[in-house]
């Protein structure tokens, strides 16, 4: 009798664990889908993910904290330590709270089993495709000025700035690309459903077009890094990447032959890559110089998380009289607001990132892990010349992708029972 009761209890616990993980997965997928469209909804959705993550951990009486998340915990910890130096405490508290919620969200994603993590590949791809295709409908005329340094009519979609939109598309591209490769891969001697193949190609074309017409040079450079890492870490994707590259060259050649304002504006933007700050109205050199002054003034403590726009006040930057939200560089922003502690955190994250990529290259990682690692690496390179992650949608997306990085084997007292997912 006792054995039967134990079996029933285990079966009941298994059903409950399955439902809780499914609810957590649904909350994560909803956050990914809604975040680009509604800035106000990001924090509540992240809080919901945190709640489900906590329930899963408490029910299973086990929490798996992979190496990447241990290193990333230094971000909210370091930001919390800068609060005593923050000139605008409510604003700083908000940023710190978002970081802590982001880290807990990543921790929740890390608790998911392989099957549910794999579904995140489709969730991110579908969300990005919808955002991209919906945004392309608003594409208007483009006009180039100052040698491509200034472009009017850039695509920004539902986000506040074209660079933010470009960053979102850059992070989504490896997910959409690898989903497309999976749709066209043979399976059991058959090709997958035609509807999925067509849908994946349309989504990929939409994301690529949105990335191009965002005219974000930092996102373009990050995309090159992303695609290179996919090719290095996942050899099975190289043939697909070659086909993808040839298709881009062909489309680009046909567009160049057709000409038009769109092509000339994009071409001018590409030409400006050799001298990205030659525009007379570019604010970044002045912002970089100001951030350097803050670093010289407080090299150890910084001005507190979120303190740069407050200390800048109404200083003139370039052609505007608006204080910058960040230093347009992840390195300068970290140094100006967090001092040497933030620099040490960045150094640790770089070392851990390189180690993760090296291990993925040797052992062969799941597709979703490759996509997340490549996306975050490209986003970091973009962040060297910009800092779009103050946008709530990008903050949430970045942390959720951190949770998709390699986690190893997740086992718990409850999930180790026979038949558990």
């Amino acid at each position: 009798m006792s054995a039967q009761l134990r079996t029933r209890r285990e079966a009941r616990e298994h059903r409950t664990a399955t439902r809780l993980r499914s609810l957590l997965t649904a909350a994560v997928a909803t956050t990914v889908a809604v975040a680009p469209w509604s800035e106000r909804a990001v924090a509540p959705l992240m809080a919901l993910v945190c709640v489900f993550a906590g329930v899963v951990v408490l029910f299973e009486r086990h929490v798996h904290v992979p190496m990447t998340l241990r290193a990333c915990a230094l971000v909210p910890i370091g930001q919390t330590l800068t609060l005593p130096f923050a000139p605008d405490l409510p604003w700083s508290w908000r940023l710190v709270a978002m970081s802590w919620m982001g880290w807990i969200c990543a921790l929740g994603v890390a608790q998911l089993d392989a099957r549910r993590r794999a579904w995140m590949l489709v969730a991110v791809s579908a969300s990005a495709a919808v955002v991209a295709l919906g945004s392309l409908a608003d594409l208007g005329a483009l006009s180039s000025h100052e040698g491509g340094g200034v472009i009017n009519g850039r695509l920004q979609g539902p986000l506040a700035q074209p660079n933010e939109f470009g960053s979102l598309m850059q992070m989504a591209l490896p997910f959409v690309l690898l989903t497309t490769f999976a749709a066209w891969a043979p399976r059991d001697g058959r090709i997958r459903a035609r509807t999925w193949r067509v849908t994946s190609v349309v989504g990929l074309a939409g994301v690529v077009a949105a990335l191009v017409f965002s005219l974000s040079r930092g996102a373009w450079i990050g995309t090159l890094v992303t695609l290179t890492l996919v090719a290095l870490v996942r050899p099975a994707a190289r043939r697909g990447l070659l086909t993808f590259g040839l298709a881009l060259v062909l489309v680009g050649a046909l567009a160049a032959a057709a000409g038009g304002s769109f092509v000339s504006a994009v071409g001018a933007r590409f030409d400006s890559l050799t001298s990205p700050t030659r525009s007379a109205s570019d604010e970044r050199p002045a912002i970089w110089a100001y951030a350097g002054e803050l670093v010289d003034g407080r090299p150890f403590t910084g001005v507190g998380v979120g303190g740069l726009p407050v200390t800048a006040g109404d200083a003139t930057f370039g052609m505007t009289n608006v204080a910058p939200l960040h230093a347009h560089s992840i390195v300068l922003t970290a140094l100006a607001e967090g001092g040497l502690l933030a620099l040490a955190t960045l150094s640790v994250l770089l070392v851990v990132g390189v180690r993760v990529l090296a291990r993925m290259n040797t052992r062969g990682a799941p597709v979703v892990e490759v996509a997340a690692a490549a996306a975050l690496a490209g986003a970091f390179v973009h962040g060297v010349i910009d800092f779009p992650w103050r946008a709530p949608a990008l903050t949430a997306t970045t942390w959720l992708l951190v949770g998709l990085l390699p986690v190893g084997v997740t086992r718990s007292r409850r999930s180790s029972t026979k038949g558990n997912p």
Side-chain angles (χ1 to χ4, degrees):
M1 180 64 70
S2 60
Q4 291 179 349
L5 291 176
R6 185 166 57 252
T7 301
R8 292 176 181 175
R9 184 175 65 252
E10 290 175 353
R12 185 168 57 251
E13 290 177 351
H14 164 64
R15 289 193 298 269
T16 303
T18 300
R19 290 167 183 167
L20 290 175
R21 286 172 177 255
S22 297
L23 287 172
L24 175 58
T25 305
V28 173
T30 302
T31 303
V32 170
V34 175
W37 300 101
S38 176
E39 181 176 317
R40 294 182 178 180
V42 173
L45 286 172
M46 292 177 66
L48 183 63
V49 174
C50 291
V51 170
F52 283 125
V55 172
V56 168
V57 169
L58 290 175
F59 179 79
E60 297 190 351
R61 300 197 296 270
H62 173 83
V63 58
H64 179 64
V65 188
M67 175 184 62
T68 51
L69 277 180
R70 295 174 189 173
C72 288
L74 294 175
V75 174
I77 291 174
Q79 290 178 340
T80 303
L81 294 176
T82 68
L83 286 175
F85 311 101
D88 186 352
L89 198 56
W91 168 243
S92 299
W93 266 114
R94 178 183 175 186
L95 294 177
V96 171
M98 286 291 287
S99 291
W100 277 114
M101 283 198 302
W103 188 83
I104 296 173
C105 287
L107 183 67
V109 175
Q111 308 311 305
L112 296 178
D113 54 272
R115 182 172 61 87
R116 290 181 173 84
R117 286 166 59 84
W119 271 109
M120 295 310 302
L121 187 76
V122 178
V124 174
S125 301
S127 173
V130 171
V131 172
L133 293 172
S135 302
L136 287 172
D138 298 327
L139 183 63
L142 296 175
S143 59
S144 173
H145 307 278
E146 301 183 29
V150 176
I151 304 288
N152 294 328
R154 294 169 59 188
L155 199 66
Q156 67 183 52
L159 299 183
Q161 296 179 359
N163 286 336
E164 295 175 359
F165 184 61
S167 180
L168 182 65
M169 293 297 102
Q170 174 266 312
M171 287 194 287
L173 181 60
F175 288 83
V176 181
L177 197 62
L178 291 173
T179 299
T180 303
F181 293 168
W184 285 81
R187 184 181 185 184
D188 297 331
R190 302 186 303 271
I191 299 294
R192 294 176 185 251
R194 179 178 300 178
T195 302
W196 186 13
R197 287 186 287 164
V198 174
T199 302
S200 64
V201 171
V202 171
L204 175 60
V207 170
V208 171
L211 177 60
V212 170
F213 289 118
S214 73
L215 296 170
S216 173
R217 294 169 293 192
W220 291 349
I221 296 172
T223 298
L224 291 177
V225 174
T226 294
L227 296 178
T228 301
L229 285 178
V230 171
L232 291 176
V233 176
R234 191 164 184 82
R238 292 173 185 172
R239 180 177 297 180
L241 287 171
L242 179 60
T243 303
F244 174 68
L246 292 175
L248 285 183
V249 171
L250 178 60
V251 172
L254 292 175
S261 59
F262 285 103
V263 176
S264 61
V266 173
R269 194 65 167 174
F270 271 106
D271 292 339
S272 70
L273 285 170
T274 58
S275 183
T277 59
R278 66 183 175 187
S279 171
S281 59
D282 195 333
E283 305 168 7
R284 285 176 299 170
I287 296 173
W288 290 339
Y290 180 74
E293 294 175 5
L294 293 180
V295 174
D296 291 339
R298 291 187 179 181
F300 297 102
T301 63
V303 295
V305 58
L308 190 146
V310 180
T311 57
D314 59 353
T316 300
F317 293 92
M319 301 296 292
T320 68
N321 196 39
V322 179
L325 294 177
H326 47 74
H328 280 275
S329 168
I330 186 173
V331 178
L332 283 176
T333 302
L335 278 172
E337 296 187 350
L340 293 180
L341 177 61
L343 181 62
T345 298
L346 275 180
S347 301
V348 171
L349 293 180
L350 277 174
V351 171
V352 171
V354 171
R355 184 179 178 185
V356 167
L357 290 171
R359 286 186 174 183
M360 291 174 68
N361 192 32
T362 56
R363 69 178 177 84
V367 176
V368 68
E369 295 182 359
V370 173
L376 291 173
F380 180 83
V381 172
H382 182 187
V384 173
I385 59 175
D386 202 351
F387 190 73
W389 297 322
R390 284 277 158 85
L394 294 179
T395 299
T397 301
T398 300
W399 278 112
L400 293 176
L401 295 189
V402 168
L404 290 174
L405 291 174
V407 296
V409 178
T410 304
R411 299 187 64 85
S412 69
R413 291 171 60 181
R414 295 187 186 270
S415 62
S416 60
T417 58
K418 185 178 180 179
N420 231 19

